[in-house]
Amino acid sequence: MSNRLFGSAYINAGDESLLQREEDVSAALENRVILLSDLTEVLDTELHVVTTFDYSTRRLYEFTPFPFPDAEDQWEAFRHPDLEWEWKDADSTGRAFRGVTDIDRLTFRWNTSDTALTLGRQAIGLSTCFYLTTNDFFQPFAPEAIYREYKTGVDAINFQYYLGPLSEIDLITVAGYDSSGDFDWDESAAILRSVFSAGNYEWTIIGGKLPWRWVAAGALQGEISGFGVRAEFNVNFPEEGWEDAFGALEDDTYFQVAGGVDYRCENSLHIFVEYLYRDQGYDDYMDYLYSLMRADSIRE
C-alpha cells in the first residue's frame, strides 16, 4: 500500500480579476493498494486500486464568463469510465469535497524467453527525456511533477519482441473512447516502436496512428564525457476532424522536438537542462483558451 498527501495554497497579492481569486487552497489524499501475483511460471498480474479524496476552496473558472469545463466533467480518452467510481460528489460552488476510486492498473502479462504480451490497463512510457517528454503520448506527467513513482495506466495491448539484450520491437495498441464511454477508433492509437543500440547510443523509432493523426517519431539517449544526452522528436500528420477534436486553428502537418543534458555531481546533486519546441503553438495566450473551449464543445 502507498499513501500520499499533497496540497497547494495560492494568495493573490494584486487586484482580483475574473480569472483570479484572492486565495485558493487545495489538498488531496491518495491511497494506492497494489497487488502483484505470479499466476503461473509465465503469467503474472498487477492490480492498482487508487482512492483519492480531494478538497478545494474553489471550482475551476467559477467566476469567468467562458464555458470552461470543470475538472471532474472531463473524460480520459484512453481509460474507460466504468472503472472509476465517484462516491463523494463535489459541491456545485465554493468549497468542494470529492471522493473517487478507480482501477489505475489491471494487467495480465504473458512472458516467454524472447516475447512479452501485456493486456489491460497499464502504464506506457515512450519518452527518453525526463521532464519535457514530447514522445510520451499516453497520460504523460506534467513537466513540473515531482512525484513520478506511478504513471497513470491506459487501456492497451502491448506486444514486445526482444531481439537481444538491448533491442526490441513493440506493437502497442491503446483503446480510445468518446465522451460517452463508447469505443472510438478516431480516439484510439496503434503504433510500432523499435529500440536498438548503435554507436554507444540507444535509438528509438516510432510510427503509427494516434488520435486523429498519424505520427513518425524518433529519439536517442547516451552519454558524452559524463554528461547524459537525450533528444526526441515527432512529426504529426493530422486527419480530417483534427481541428474539431482538439480545437486547433489549422490542420497542417506539425512537429515537436525536445532535448536536454544532465550531469550528476559527486555530492549527488543532479542537474537537468531541457528544451521543448512545439511547432503547433500559438503566439497569443488567448488562442490557447479558445482552443480549449472549442475542443470541449466539440467532444461533448
Side-chain angles (χ1 to χ4, degrees):
M1 180 182 295
S2 170
N3 289 281
R4 185 163 65 112
L5 177 65
F6 52 97
S8 64
Y10 165 78
I11 299 176
N12 177 24
D15 296 332
E16 291 189 57
S17 69
L18 290 175
L19 293 177
Q20 294 177 318
R21 294 279 300 279
E22 182 177 354
E23 60 183 22
D24 289 308
V25 177
S26 62
L29 172 64
E30 178 188 275
N31 170 263
R32 180 181 295 265
V33 178
I34 303 170
L35 173 66
L36 304 174
S37 177
D38 294 328
L39 301 178
T40 68
E41 292 183 356
V42 297
L43 180 64
D44 56 64
T45 184
E46 179 178 7
L47 172 65
H48 290 215
V49 180
V50 177
T51 299
T52 305
F53 188 76
D54 294 303
Y55 168 80
S56 176
T57 60
R58 67 181 174 119
R59 300 274 285 177
L60 288 177
Y61 310 105
E62 175 186 348
F63 299 107
T64 70
F66 306 113
F68 285 106
D70 286 332
E72 61 265 25
D73 294 332
Q74 295 301 288
W75 96 101
E76 298 177 271
F78 302 121
R79 292 162 61 91
H80 197 280
D82 285 351
L83 295 182
E84 177 179 301
W85 302 271
E86 183 180 55
W87 44 268
K88 174 63 176 69
D89 191 11
D91 301 329
S92 59
T93 58
R95 287 178 168 80
F97 291 93
R98 182 170 182 257
V100 177
T101 298
D102 68 88
I103 306 297
D104 188 56
R105 298 186 192 179
L106 176 58
T107 65
F108 294 91
R109 181 180 175 91
W110 180 275
N111 302 280
T112 68
S113 59
D114 55 4
T115 64
L117 176 64
T118 307
L119 307 176
R121 181 163 291 181
Q122 56 193 282
I124 296 178
L126 304 177
S127 280
T128 57
C129 292
F130 283 106
Y131 299 104
L132 304 178
T133 53
T134 184
N135 281 357
D136 198 358
F137 306 119
F138 311 110
Q139 299 287 358
F141 288 109
E144 69 274 15
I146 298 174
Y147 184 79
R148 295 172 177 243
E149 185 70 22
Y150 300 105
K151 192 173 188 293
T152 301
V154 295
D155 300 342
I157 300 174
N158 185 4
F159 176 75
Q160 299 167 278
Y161 178 70
Y162 302 106
L163 301 172
L166 299 175
S167 61
E168 65 181 85
I169 295 177
D170 305 334
L171 175 60
I172 303 169
T173 60
V174 181
Y177 310 97
D178 59 24
S179 57
S180 63
D182 296 328
F183 175 79
D184 188 334
W185 170 247
D186 290 323
E187 296 282 356
S188 301
I191 61 175
L192 187 66
R193 181 177 75 146
S194 175
V195 180
F196 58 92
S197 296
N200 294 324
Y201 281 86
E202 180 187 87
W203 302 82
T204 302
I205 300 175
I206 299 174
K209 178 195 177 301
L210 292 175
W212 301 92
R213 66 194 189 276
W214 293 85
V215 66
L220 66 88
Q221 59 180 328
E223 185 175 290
I224 300 177
S225 301
F227 288 85
V229 179
R230 293 170 174 79
E232 57 189 71
F233 77 93
N234 57 67
V235 181
N236 297 264
F237 307 90
E239 294 184 300
E240 183 179 355
W242 157 265
E243 289 181 271
D244 292 336
F246 289 92
L249 300 181
E250 57 185 27
D251 61 356
D252 297 334
T253 298
Y254 67 91
F255 71 93
Q256 303 176 101
V257 60
V261 296
D262 68 277
Y263 184 78
R264 183 181 292 276
C265 305
E266 293 183 359
N267 63 357
S268 76
L269 176 66
H270 205 169
I271 301 173
F272 297 84
V273 178
E274 292 189 354
Y275 175 81
L276 167 66
Y277 178 79
R278 303 184 66 181
D279 182 46
Q280 86 279 29
Y282 301 124
D283 295 326
D284 190 338
Y285 173 73
M286 291 302 295
D287 286 337
Y288 286 101
L289 301 182
Y290 294 138
S291 176
L292 174 64
M293 290 185 293
R294 184 174 181 220
D296 181 64
S297 64
I298 293 297
R299 288 184 167 196
E300 283 186 323

